[in-house]
Every structure is written in C-alpha cells, then in structure tokens.
Amino acid sequence: MADEPTPTADLIRAQLRRMRATAHLSQEEYGRRANYSASMVSAVELGQRPLDEVYLSRADMVFGTGDLFVSLLKLAARDGEPTWFRPWLEAERAAKQLRCFEPMLIPGLLQTEDYARAVIRGDVTLTEDEVEALVAARLARQAILDQEHPPQVTTVLDESALRRFSEEHATVMAGQLSHLIQFAKRPNVSVHVIPIKVGLHVGLEGSFVLARSDDGGWVGFMDNQLGGTVVDRIEDVETLLARWESVRNVALPTWQSIELIEEVMRSWTT
C-alpha cells in the first residue's frame, strides 16, 4: 500500500522548525522577532495551535521569504476539500465568468467565516478539526474574488436563503447579509434575489454553478447529498444554461435585491 501524502500543514510546520534552526534562533528569540511568545511558537510548531495568515506573514518577514509561507497556507487549505470537489475547484479558479444559483443557502464564494462554520457544522458526523479544515478551504476559495483580474460573478438566490437560520444565529445572519450587500456593490459581482412571492420556479429542484473559461466554454457543478457532480457534457451544460436563464428571469434586479437583503438584515438585528 502506498504511503499517505503528508498534509501540507505538517510540511509548513517542519519548514518553520528547519528555518528557525538554520537561523540559529531559539523559540524565544524567534518569538521576540515575530512578536509572539515562546510558548506560542512551540504550540504552532507542534501542531497544538492552528496555522494562520498573520503568524505565517510574520514568519515570511523574519526569514525574508517573501510570501512563501502565506502561499503555502493557501495550499494547505485545499487539503480540507474532498477529492471529488477538486476538479471543480480548478474550473472555478480559471473561470472568467461564474453563474451561481442557490435556493437554500448563501453561495460558498460569498459566505462569511461564521456563516460557513454554522453551515458545515450541520453535518454532525464531522469532528471539530474537520469542520475547521473545511471552513478554511471554503474561505481560501474566495481569494479569486480579490485577485487583480477577478471573474465576473453573477449570483441568483432564493429569498428563503436570507431567512433560513434560527434565532440563535441572528448575529451570524446579520453579518452574512451585510457581507453579501458589500459584495453586491462590487463592479464584478451581481446579486439577484428571487422573492418568495414568485412561488414555484424551476430552480427549486437544486443549486448549480456554471463557469466560463478563457476559450468561452462552459462547465457546471451540482451539489448532492453524497458529494457533487462536475457537468461537462454539452447537452447537460446546455440544460443548466437554460435553467439559469429561467431563474435569472424571475429574480429581482440588483438594486431591488439589495433593498430586499437590507430589509431582511434589519429583521435579524431587531
């Protein structure tokens, strides 16, 4: 049996230890330079504390490694994604245009950390470490929205997605909707809401995402209870494109959608 690959996070910790030793720095001395306690340095190197971008950016500063460790952290976040999802991730990262439809939840690319954590914790079979790994991976995907030439993202969601959580998650929902409004005002992001009064529509059969590549070709992705499916057959992609036109046609324009999101957000804060 082949050995399991070493998780990227473990490789990062090993490299931190090696570079500190090569620089002849004790944990205490390194901690002074990076503005951390020796106990924190030890906990990170032993895997007792999670890696984060702030810690690794300071490591890059101390060792003069540019953004090496911060970049490696992004690779580590991918370890949290299930293998069946990785083909879609490649399409998503290369996309020039994304069309996201979601009838139940806020799309992953537009989720806050707290909202993502609450959603992922809905799977009670996951350990807390697995939850945090998936949260980190989901947030890492959002980096495509902040790159120099981000994709054009058009999102359609059902109004019920704005109201789905219980009262115990009111603060999470208020923060999520505020975040959604901020993104809806970006030039490369459009958010459209299908109001509840529309009633039945074809999108209620399930969520999907479409990605358009540089060459103009489209590929789709659909979630299901056992994972997800990449859709690349021409006939199937054409079906999803037709479904997209249907849900987009019954959704509100951006300015009315923002007004509706603001109205719902106020209900989560009162």
Side-chain angles (χ1 to χ4, degrees):
M1 181 183 294
D3 292 337
E4 288 292 324
T6 303
T8 306
D10 288 348
L11 294 176
I12 294 173
R13 292 189 182 94
Q15 188 69 0
L16 286 170
R17 290 192 297 269
R18 189 190 72 79
M19 293 194 71
R20 181 176 58 75
T22 299
H24 304 291
L25 296 174
S26 66
Q27 291 180 338
E28 184 176 3
E29 176 59 28
Y30 172 80
R32 278 198 295 270
R33 297 189 184 190
N35 199 28
Y36 284 105
S37 66
S39 60
M40 169 65 92
V41 174
S42 175
V44 170
E45 292 184 354
L46 292 173
Q48 296 167 348
R49 292 289 298 267
L51 298 166
D52 62 51
E53 187 169 340
V54 173
Y55 187 95
L56 293 180
S57 66
R58 292 182 186 173
D60 281 325
M61 177 190 66
V62 171
F63 297 129
T65 47
D67 61 353
L68 172 64
F69 283 110
V70 171
S71 298
L72 287 173
L73 181 62
K74 295 176 182 178
L75 292 177
R78 297 182 191 179
D79 291 347
E81 294 288 5
T83 54
W84 53 261
F85 194 47
R86 290 173 187 169
W88 168 251
L89 286 180
E90 296 306 315
E92 185 179 72
R93 293 186 189 109
K96 298 302 178 184
Q97 184 178 355
L98 288 165
R99 295 177 175 178
C100 313
F101 172 69
E102 180 56 75
M104 301 293 183
L105 300 167
I106 306 301
L109 285 178
L110 301 179
Q111 290 180 5
T112 64
E113 180 177 348
D114 289 340
Y115 182 94
R117 184 174 290 107
V119 170
I120 292 170
R121 276 180 177 157
D123 184 349
V124 297
T125 67
L126 297 174
T127 67
E128 193 62 24
D129 285 346
E130 288 170 333
V131 168
E132 292 305 318
L134 289 170
V135 170
R138 183 163 299 180
L139 296 179
R141 288 171 53 205
Q142 299 175 2
I144 65 171
L145 301 179
D146 295 316
Q147 58 193 7
E148 185 177 357
H149 300 292
Q152 190 69 35
V153 179
T154 305
T155 294
V156 174
L157 60 155
D158 197 90
E159 182 181 347
S160 60
L162 309 178
R163 304 180 182 275
R164 179 152 303 278
F165 280 23
S166 62
E167 286 300 320
E168 67 180 293
H169 291 104
T171 301
V172 172
M173 281 303 301
Q176 173 61 72
L177 297 188
S178 175
H179 182 77
L180 187 61
I181 291 168
Q182 292 172 25
F183 269 90
K185 294 178 179 179
R186 289 191 180 191
N188 65 305
V189 179
S190 299
V191 175
H192 304 274
V193 179
I194 300 176
I196 289 176
K197 65 183 179 182
V198 167
L200 296 176
H201 57 83
V202 69
L204 295 176
E205 294 186 11
S207 64
F208 60 88
V209 190
L210 288 155
R212 182 178 180 272
S213 62
D214 242 344
D215 62 9
W218 289 91
V219 63
F221 182 80
M222 297 187 302
D223 274 318
N224 60 61
Q225 288 288 333
L226 297 179
T229 304
V230 174
V231 179
D232 54 11
R233 289 180 63 247
I234 293 176
E235 299 87 346
D236 295 337
V237 170
E238 288 178 346
T239 296
L240 289 183
L241 286 168
R243 295 288 176 94
W244 170 260
E245 292 301 323
S246 294
V247 297
R248 177 65 188 86
N249 286 340
V250 295
L252 297 172
T254 296
W255 67 271
Q256 286 184 311
S257 296
I258 291 176
E259 287 184 345
L260 178 54
I261 296 169
E262 289 174 337
E263 176 188 330
V264 177
M265 183 176 67
R266 287 191 292 271
S267 73
W268 285 110
T269 58
T270 57

